[in-house]
Amino acid sequence: MALVNLPQNDRKRVKVYELRNNDWFDRGTGFCTGQVVEEESKIYVESEDHPDRILLETKISRDDGYQKQQDTLIVWTESSGTDMALSFQEAEGCAAIWDFVSQVQAHLLAISGPDDALSDDAMDSFPNPVMLPYPELGNLAEIDQMMRVASSSPQGRDSLSKSIIAEDYVSKLVPLVETAEDLEALPELHRLSNIMKMLILLNDTHLIEAMVNDANILGVVGALEYDAEFPHHKANHREYLKDSRRFKEVVPIQDETTKTKIHSTWRLQYLKDVVLARILDDPTFSVLNSLIFFNQVDIVNKLQSELGFLGELFGIIDSPEASMDKKKDAVQFIQQCCAIAKNLQAPARGILYNNFVQNGLLRVINFALLANDVSFRVAGSDILVAMIDHDPAMVRAYIFKAINENKIALTDTLIDLLLTEADLGVKAQASDAIKVLLDPQSAPQAQDNTARANTEFLSKIRGNAQPNPQESFVQSFYDNAAQKLFQPLKDLETRGSVQDLSFSEVSLFIHLVEILMFFIRQHLYRSKFFIAADGLPSRIAQLLACPQKHLKLTALKFFRTSIGLQDPFFNEQVTKNFLFEPILNIVYETMPRDNLLNSACLELFEFIKRENIKPMITHVVENYRQKLEDINYVSVFQELILRYDQMQGYNPEMEGTIFTQEEDTSSAARPRLNGASQRWQGVREMDAAEEEYFNTSDDEDELAAKPKVLTPSTNGASPVPRPLVDYPSDDDEAAADVMFHDHDTGSPSTIEGDTPPSSSAANSPSPRSTPTIGHSPPERLSEKRRREEDEEDELGKLSLTKRRSSSISTISSVNGNQANYLRRKKSFASGKDANGGKKIAISLAVKSPIDVEHGRDHGG
């Protein structure tokens, strides 16, 4: 039998689906053809938008398990194990491709030779076609046993399902349910229930569709009402499914196939969610979900393509002649369409919402939210949330347009709904809708921004850049709607007590605080002015005194969020209004119990300590130190006090080592700073040993070992006190400084027995007596130096700083003065010869080896 290609110009429009994680993924829309290429039969799907792109290329094999479901669907499993599906636009196209697949599989089976056939062992294990006896009440046990045996292997399951479909066995079992009920034959009813369960668990889509059609559905669910595991209980599935009032045809549907699919889809959902919820396994659950999904796709596509259907549907809302019940049915029908759209792929969902918006979806939402009937408001909030989840930018644009036209904006409607609605579910949806609409993260994605990047750049250059619609929308909300939204919180200022809050008020305050937390995270700068102007943190702190613990936790969450930002503005709001007091009161009320409320408070203070937020630590300890000291079942409060003391420069561990016992006994009389326990630490007096140590000069020991002559200061300044540690660099600078002054004044070093010139004597104080070994003891120099140090003032210290800062320029002049300095030494040597060899002692300022050697030559 030769295979014939389908005509190339007879292409069938189709959608390609792939099962990923139990969800059908839309790979795209294209045109399907069946071709034989190099003796291989394949199915090709070319993309509708990009003809050169192949959406699907699959080889038809003999054992791929192709299944035709309904009239427009073909499902199979690839050799890799991936489940694939083709959903055709028309039933004729599906039939043509299905005929091609059947022809190819028959050809492959016919040409299979001995080498390509199954082995003898495999043929032995393959069961013969299952032949079930004609169903009667007397042989139900036999039928049950045969079906159990056949269901134990995959080949047996396949053979059993084919036999049941071929013989229309389900329609033969259905009448037995009514017969057994008339006879009150409970064992037979239990066997019928088990048989129906096994038929569904075969996971054959054709068989499941046959079981849920109009002729068989009541008999099938009637048998499933009798569960052998619960012999004394009976469900009422048939009573629920018989109620025709549950199906309401808002707008007449002309296509009977679409109506049949609507009924089948509803029955499948009821089977999955109610009847079989306890016994479903994963394969059966996946098969039912697939049937429901493809039915919903077909229903939505057919309704959109039906001429005038959407216009008539949305026209009911605006019609003054339509009753409220009719309008309610129309709103609920739209709600169900939006619920179905959640399971559709993004392109199909986008087409559906665009068609809805063009016909007035947003007007329907506004009408439903303002209705007095709670069922209207529930449906309207569901539609709005679904719409916002799909495209929040579209809803923002609609609201912004209404604001510019001075119409009632959707945000005002949502605020009214949140403030006045008694239904807690609607309150929650209104709160979520407000947050999503004002969320800057849900703005158009990066690709949209990239597409407009060049245009916006050029507009900015020309100076006519348009404002960001999202920013304009948020600013308009803060200008017009925010005051109304948070008015209940501001009204707490005039409320005496929060002990008598109603259940609705508690729910409202929780939503308002959560919205405010969202604002301070997403609109940090805009929310600051609004919060400061209305004093909202103080109003939220009032809620900490209410008896409802979940409301207290929400208020604590607000303060934890604001402090967690570590923003000086929010820190100031907390400290300026003393808002830690009600939080500490909660700690006192709940300690030492380990509950959520107490733990939330402790975590707040632990965060402040861990992040070392100094303004917070200072405020808490200075104002509530006594309270913190009384809370000792956890260590965080004591650690806060210790951290504060360390910030003030006070360490309690040093008291026992530095201060004397007399200071400890008199510490209570010392003044305190800022109401804290930190004592003022002045400069304490030194004891006798310490004073003697610091008064003793290191130069006295050097003078005891080596004679030196002190040179008086030439500029009239007081002698500069020497540091405790004799750094070499400081000595060099001081030496260079002395030589610099000698050079400037022109006064030579003082020699014992010589008289200075009169000009030098007039401009400088009297020189000191030059001590030498055998002439002046070291103790006399120490007494004189101590007296001078007692008389010096701060000018001496400044002089020291000035001398050290100028040491670099001074040292540079040392080399220039070196020759003059040596000439002076030569004159000293000639003077010694003139005096007949009299020895004198000279004190040299520069302690270099050369100078010391010269001093020894002249002095020795």
Side-chain angles (χ1 to χ4, degrees), residues 104-105 111 162 167 235 257 303 416 467 498 542 616 639 799 845:
V104 171
Q105 287 190 317
I111 65 174
K162 290 180 179 179
E167 298 178 7
T257 304
L303 292 180
D416 291 335
V498 292
Q542 286 183 249
M616 293 284 185
E639 292 171 354
S799 176

Side-chain angles (χ1 to χ4, degrees), residues 15 112 118 125-126 142-143 174 200 209 372 467 518 599 628 692 708 753 768 808 830:
K15 278 185 174 291
S112 298
L118 297 173
S125 62
F126 193 85
E142 179 185 357
I143 295 173
V174 167
I200 294 174
E209 287 177 350
N372 295 325
F518 172 82
S599 299
L628 301 184
E692 180 64 24
K708 293 184 179 179
R768 299 181 187 179
I808 297 177
S830 61

Side-chain angles (χ1 to χ4, degrees), residues 158-178:
D158 184 63
S159 178
L160 177 62
S161 61
K162 290 180 179 179
S163 176
I164 290 174
I165 293 172
E167 298 178 7
D168 195 13
Y169 206 76
V170 176
S171 61
K172 299 175 182 179
L173 289 170
V174 167
L176 297 179
V177 177
E178 186 176 353

Side-chain angles (χ1 to χ4, degrees), residues 190 381 590:
H190 288 163
S381 61
T590 57

Side-chain angles (χ1 to χ4, degrees), residues 557-742:
K557 185 179 178 182
F558 169 81
F559 291 112
R560 176 62 177 81
T561 302
S562 59
I563 294 175
L565 295 174
Q566 298 196 32
D567 189 285
F569 170 79
F570 293 106
N571 292 346
E572 182 183 358
Q573 289 293 315
V574 175
T575 56
K576 181 178 67 175
N577 297 299
F578 297 92
L579 301 183
F580 278 109
E581 183 172 356
I583 300 177
L584 287 173
N585 291 337
I586 293 178
V587 177
Y588 266 81
E589 293 172 4
T590 57
M591 70 177 188
R593 297 191 301 272
D594 248 350
N595 55 21
L596 184 58
L597 196 56
N598 183 268
S599 299
C601 296
L602 296 182
E603 195 277 335
L604 175 63
F605 289 103
E606 180 67 30
F607 175 81
I608 294 173
K609 185 207 71 172
R610 183 176 65 251
E611 298 297 327
N612 195 25
I613 307 177
K614 295 181 179 180
M616 293 284 185
I617 297 175
T618 303
H619 171 79
V620 170
V621 176
E622 289 183 353
N623 292 280
Y624 311 105
R625 187 181 186 108
Q626 186 59 45
K627 283 189 175 183
L628 301 184
E629 290 176 348
D630 294 340
I631 306 174
N632 52 17
Y633 74 102
V634 289
S635 61
V636 59
F637 297 102
Q638 307 304 322
E639 292 171 354
L640 281 175
I641 296 175
L642 178 60
R643 182 70 57 84
Y644 171 79
D645 291 341
Q646 291 173 347
M647 287 164 50
Q648 302 300 319
Y650 167 68
N651 190 352
E653 297 179 356
M654 299 180 61
E655 286 193 0
T657 57
I658 294 181
F659 299 104
T660 61
Q661 185 67 25
E662 290 77 14
E663 290 175 327
D664 291 338
T665 56
S666 61
S667 61
R670 297 196 176 193
R672 296 174 179 264
L673 291 178
N674 297 327
S677 62
Q678 171 62 33
R679 293 191 298 271
W680 180 81
Q681 299 179 14
V683 180
R684 63 184 181 88
E685 297 180 356
M686 294 184 295
D687 56 16
E690 290 177 340
E691 185 175 6
E692 180 64 24
Y693 170 79
F694 285 109
N695 288 335
T696 303
S697 174
D698 294 338
D699 291 339
E700 298 176 13
D701 298 334
E702 296 178 3
L703 288 173
K706 186 187 299 183
K708 293 184 179 179
V709 177
L710 294 179
T711 304
S713 176
T714 59
N715 58 359
S718 301
V720 179
R722 297 187 60 183
L724 296 178
V725 181
D726 191 9
Y727 293 101
S729 60
D730 293 344
D731 293 342
D732 296 340
E733 294 171 2
D737 199 25
V738 170
M739 291 188 296
F740 175 79
H741 285 288
D742 289 343

Side-chain angles (χ1 to χ4, degrees), residues 159-330:
S159 178
L160 177 62
S161 61
K162 290 180 179 179
S163 176
I164 290 174
I165 293 172
E167 298 178 7
D168 195 13
Y169 206 76
V170 176
S171 61
K172 299 175 182 179
L173 289 170
V174 167
L176 297 179
V177 177
E178 186 176 353
T179 304
E181 287 182 334
D182 294 339
L183 298 175
E184 297 183 357
L186 190 59
E188 282 70 19
L189 289 171
H190 288 163
R191 289 193 180 95
L192 282 171
S193 176
N194 292 334
I195 290 173
M196 294 299 179
K197 289 179 183 177
M198 282 188 288
L199 292 179
I200 294 174
L201 295 177
L202 289 176
N203 300 334
D204 189 282
T205 56
H206 292 285
L207 181 56
I208 294 175
E209 287 177 350
M211 296 178 72
V212 297
N213 62 24
D214 295 339
N216 297 328
I217 182 61
L218 292 180
V220 171
V221 298
L224 293 173
E225 289 178 357
Y226 298 91
D227 195 339
E229 298 182 7
F230 302 95
H232 302 294
H233 295 82
K234 175 183 174 296
N236 294 319
H237 302 312
R238 283 175 291 183
E239 182 180 353
Y240 183 83
L241 294 176
K242 282 180 181 178
D243 190 358
S244 60
R245 294 174 300 175
R246 301 186 183 278
F247 176 72
K248 299 178 180 180
E249 196 172 3
V250 183
V251 177
I253 299 175
Q254 305 299 330
D255 189 3
E256 291 297 328
T257 304
T258 303
K259 294 173 65 174
T260 302
K261 285 186 178 180
I262 291 175
H263 290 298
S264 298
T265 304
W266 180 61
R267 293 163 184 167
L268 286 170
Q269 288 177 331
Y270 185 76
L271 280 176
K272 178 176 71 74
D273 298 334
V274 180
V275 181
L276 304 174
R278 189 172 54 85
I279 65 170
L280 279 183
D281 54 8
D282 290 341
T284 308
F285 186 82
S286 177
V287 169
L288 293 176
N289 274 338
S290 300
L291 286 172
I292 293 171
F293 171 76
F294 288 114
N295 280 347
Q296 289 176 343
V297 171
D298 289 339
I299 292 169
V300 171
N301 291 335
K302 288 293 179 63
L303 292 180
Q304 291 182 91
S305 61
E306 191 169 335
L307 184 64
F309 180 83
L310 292 181
E312 187 176 354
L313 173 64
F314 285 92
I316 295 175
I317 306 299
D318 299 329
S319 174
E321 300 177 357
S323 63
M324 292 303 296
D325 291 338
K326 189 74 171 178
K327 292 183 178 181
K328 181 191 299 184
D329 294 338

Side-chain angles (χ1 to χ4, degrees), residues 781-810:
L781 176 60
S782 176
E783 293 175 0
K784 183 176 181 181
R785 181 176 181 179
R786 186 181 300 112
R787 184 176 64 254
E788 292 175 350
E789 288 177 354
D790 292 339
E791 295 174 355
E792 73 177 354
D793 54 5
E794 291 296 325
L795 184 60
K797 297 180 181 180
L798 295 176
S799 176
L800 175 62
T801 305
K802 183 176 180 181
R803 286 172 179 271
R804 290 189 176 181
S805 63
S806 60
S807 60
I808 297 177
S809 60
T810 305

